[in-house]
């Protein structure tokens, strides 16, 4: 691997350290070094690196720039919610606090270029400066002139600076309609199963042998590789379930070489972990606590599954509660449950004659958005203004498949939804906000 990273501009010892930290990314690292050239040479103005999540883009750039000690500024487009913050981060990394303080409050692109050129005249670059833009796809939502300007920033500021864009989408989704300077493209492919095996096996705890931990990773990938190729997620799952894999070994029931018995012990736990891949509904500590509870209660959590521990924002919980009530309560009962001064309503009139079928047996009914919001503002324990945040949280619940949109997307005037969670789930959510949902359900009157 070291041979792939040989470069006349860098010390062999530094390149060796880089190679050790970047397993299975030899080709991409060597290609990047070729594009970057020697430190004092002018580099290409812009490089576009793309690939799926957790394919090593940020890690490779971070290791290269850190170990080779190249001047760089790493900017997260998620954290820089405004263009001014982006400009400030770059100036701060290259020229210090004094340069960043020269930016006006609402800095424009011309302000940034002017200050950058002033600082360059005072401290010209001896090596190529690199600006790494993580989550670069968010740049498409900024001013139309920002992305074209960044791609040819080297020409604008007359400095040896290179923009490196890291993205999960292809360049064709970026290219402005008006045209722009074309960056060099570099693709990071997904890790293969063998590469994931090699990388994950490096996380071996020191008290276990390489063969034992490698067999565990092989079992883990055999279960999860078909549904998950994300290195970070697989690393999380490996750390989460390893203690359960080692239990028979620590109790002296099996030996390290008895792979079949170890597999039979860990198989049900891995299948259960399949339900929470990518969702991060529980932390590692919570997962271990639930495993201990299952053992004490003979495999049952007394009605509470792992899905009942999903973490939601405060108002999203009340939105989900309101959606459940709207799905399982008839609309004619809303006045009885949610209007404080509704007057006296006799139970004989309130209950339909011959109404014996439970709404929970019939399943959730669709409801309009205005009914959801009316119930939400009635059950929430504080005054909430109808802001865009509330509506975005409804969209998030749909994305998480806790709500289902049953109307067409183009039906903007009256979208309809259905609640897609179980009774146990909503009861657990209600307990976290001290809301007694049973008192508001028509079936439990």
């Amino acid at each position: 691997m070291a041979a792939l990273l040989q470069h006349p501009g860098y010390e062999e010892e530094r390149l060796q350290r880089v190679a050790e930290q970047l397993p299975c990314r030899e080709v991409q690292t060597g290609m990047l070094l070729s594009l970057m050239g020697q430190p004092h040479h002018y580099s290409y103005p812009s490089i576009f690196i793309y690939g799926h999540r957790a394919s090593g883009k940020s890690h490779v750039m971070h290791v290269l720039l850190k170990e080779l000690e190249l001047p760089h500024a790493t900017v997260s487009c998620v954290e820089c919610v405004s263009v001014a913050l982006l400009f400030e981060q770059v100036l701060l990394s290259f020229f210090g606090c004094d340069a960043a303080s020269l930016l006006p409050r609402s800095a424009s692109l011309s302000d940034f270029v002017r200050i950058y050129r002033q600082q360059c005249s005072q401290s010209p670059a001896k090596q190529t400066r690199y600006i790494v833009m993580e989550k670069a796809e968010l740049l498409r939502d900024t001013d139309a002139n920002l992305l074209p300007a960044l791609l040819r920033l080297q020409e604008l500021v007359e400095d040896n600076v290179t923009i490196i864009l890291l993205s999960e989408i292809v360049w064709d989704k970026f290219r402005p309609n008006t045209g722009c300077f074309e960056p060099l493209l570099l693709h990071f492919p997904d890790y293969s199963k063998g590469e994931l095996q090699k990388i994950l096996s490096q996380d071996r705890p020191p008290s276990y042998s390489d063969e034992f931990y490698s067999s565990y990773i092989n079992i883990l990938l055999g279960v999860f590789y078909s549904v998950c190729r994300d290195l970070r997620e697989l690393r999380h799952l490996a750390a989460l379930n390893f203690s359960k894999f080692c239990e028979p070994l620590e109790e002296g029931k099996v030996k390290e070489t008895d792979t079949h018995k170890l597999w039979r012990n860990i198989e049900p736990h891995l299948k259960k972990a399949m339900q929470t891949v990518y969702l991060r509904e529980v932390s590692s500590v919570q997962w271990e606590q639930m495993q201990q509870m299952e053992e004490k209660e003979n495999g049952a959590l007394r009605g509470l599954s792992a899905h009942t521990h999903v973490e939601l924002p405060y108002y999203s919980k009340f939105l989900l509660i309101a959606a459940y009530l709207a799905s399982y309560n008839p609309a004619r009962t809303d006045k009885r449950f949610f209007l404080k001064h509704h007057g006296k309503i006799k139970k004989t009139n309130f209950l339909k004659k011959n109404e014996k079928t439970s709404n929970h047996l019939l399943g959730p009914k669709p409801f309009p958005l205005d009914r959801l919001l009316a119930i939400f503002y009635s059950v929430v324990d504080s005054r909430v203004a109808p802001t865009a945040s509330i509506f975005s949280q409804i969209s998030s619940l749909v994305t998480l498949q806790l709500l289902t949109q049953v109307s067409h997307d183009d039906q903007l005037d009256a979208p309809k939804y259905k609640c897609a969670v179980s009774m146990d789930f909503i009861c657990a959510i209600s307990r976290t906000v001290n809301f007694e949902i049973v008192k508001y359900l028509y079936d439990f009157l």
Side-chain angles (χ1 to χ4, degrees), residues 384-401:
V384 185
T387 60
S389 174
I390 297 297
F391 293 99
S392 68
Q393 290 185 47
I394 295 175
S395 300
S396 298
L397 292 175
V398 174
T399 304
L400 292 170
Q401 299 181 354

Side-chain angles (χ1 to χ4, degrees), residues 8 20 36 88 103 109 119 130 149 180 185 294 310 319 335 388:
E20 292 172 355
M36 293 163 62
E88 181 181 354
L103 280 171
L109 178 62
Q119 297 299 317
Y130 295 94
C180 65
L185 305 184
E294 282 187 339
V310 61
L319 282 168
K335 184 177 179 182

Side-chain angles (χ1 to χ4, degrees), residues 323-360:
Y324 191 87
L325 295 174
S327 282
Y328 289 98
N329 282 350
R332 60 186 174 80
T333 65
D334 289 351
K335 184 177 179 182
R336 159 70 170 78
F337 285 120
F338 308 115
L339 194 61
K340 292 182 180 180
H341 306 290
H342 54 71
K344 291 185 177 180
I345 300 178
K346 294 183 180 180
K347 191 171 184 179
T348 54
N349 296 332
F350 181 57
L351 297 175
K352 245 185 176 180
K353 291 182 180 179
N354 302 323
E355 187 172 19
K356 298 179 180 180
T357 306
S358 168
N359 291 293
H360 282 73

Side-chain angles (χ1 to χ4, degrees), residues 42-297:
Y42 261 74
S43 180
Y44 199 77
S46 52
I47 301 173
F48 184 84
I49 301 176
Y50 65 102
H52 287 155
R53 184 176 181 268
S55 55
K57 304 180 297 295
S58 298
H59 180 59
V60 168
M61 285 309 310
H62 173 74
V63 172
L64 270 177
L65 296 173
K66 181 182 178 183
E67 293 296 336
L68 301 181
E69 297 183 357
L70 300 173
H72 65 279
T74 302
V75 180
S76 171
C77 295
V78 176
E79 296 176 0
C80 294
V81 295
S82 68
V83 177
L85 285 174
L86 188 152
F87 297 153
E88 181 181 354
Q89 185 67 36
V90 172
L91 292 175
L92 186 65
S93 300
F94 288 155
F95 307 111
C97 300
D98 294 337
S101 64
L102 297 176
L103 280 171
R105 180 169 301 222
S106 299
S108 64
L109 178 62
S110 59
D111 294 324
F112 170 68
V113 171
R114 174 178 51 83
I115 296 173
Y116 194 109
R117 295 183 67 168
Q118 289 176 357
Q119 297 299 317
C120 281
S121 62
Q122 298 174 11
S123 56
K126 298 179 181 178
Q127 297 180 345
T128 305
R129 295 184 173 115
Y130 295 94
I131 302 176
V132 181
M133 312 286 290
E134 297 181 343
K135 293 289 182 183
E137 55 266 20
L138 298 178
L139 291 174
R140 299 178 300 165
D141 301 326
T142 58
D143 297 338
N145 67 337
L146 180 62
L147 180 59
L150 289 176
L151 292 174
R152 57 195 313 163
L153 185 65
Q154 187 179 101
E155 177 184 342
L156 290 174
V157 298
E158 298 179 355
D159 183 39
N160 185 7
V161 60
T162 294
I163 294 286
I164 299 179
L165 304 176
L166 308 182
S167 176
E168 295 179 16
I169 63 177
V170 297
W171 170 246
D172 291 337
K173 302 283 187 180
F174 271 80
R175 188 181 288 109
N177 296 330
T178 55
C180 65
F181 184 86
E182 294 288 321
L184 292 176
L185 305 184
L186 179 59
H187 178 232
F188 274 52
D190 289 340
Y191 290 108
S192 66
K193 188 174 182 179
E195 290 173 339
L196 289 172
Q197 171 88 29
K198 180 179 179 181
I199 295 171
L200 292 173
S201 296
Q202 292 182 342
D203 299 332
R204 175 185 61 85
S207 55
Y208 295 93
S209 66
D210 290 334
E211 293 78 13
F212 177 72
Y213 194 75
S214 181
S215 66
Y216 166 67
I217 296 299
N218 189 39
I219 290 173
L220 185 85
L221 290 176
V223 174
F224 290 102
Y225 184 73
S226 60
V227 297
C228 176
R229 311 288 172 89
D230 190 321
L231 176 61
R232 282 178 286 188
E233 186 72 21
L234 290 170
R235 181 169 276 152
H236 169 75
L237 291 167
L240 199 63
N241 294 283
F242 185 61
S243 59
K244 183 63 64 176
F245 182 72
C246 296
E247 275 186 0
L249 185 67
E250 294 175 351
E251 293 172 359
K253 296 180 180 179
V254 299
K255 298 180 180 179
E256 283 192 6
T257 54
D258 200 345
T259 309
H260 182 65
K261 289 184 178 180
L262 290 168
W263 158 247
R264 286 173 55 190
N265 177 68
I266 193 66
E267 181 184 14
H269 302 284
L270 294 181
K271 288 182 176 179
K272 189 167 295 183
M274 283 272 283
Q275 301 173 2
T276 60
V277 172
Y278 288 117
L279 295 181
R280 284 294 198 277
E281 294 172 344
V282 293
S283 66
S284 301
V285 176
Q286 289 173 321
W287 178 261
E288 291 173 2
Q289 290 173 347
M290 287 193 294
Q291 298 286 2
Q292 294 172 3
M293 290 173 66
E294 282 187 339
E295 293 172 0
K296 293 178 182 178
E297 298 169 11

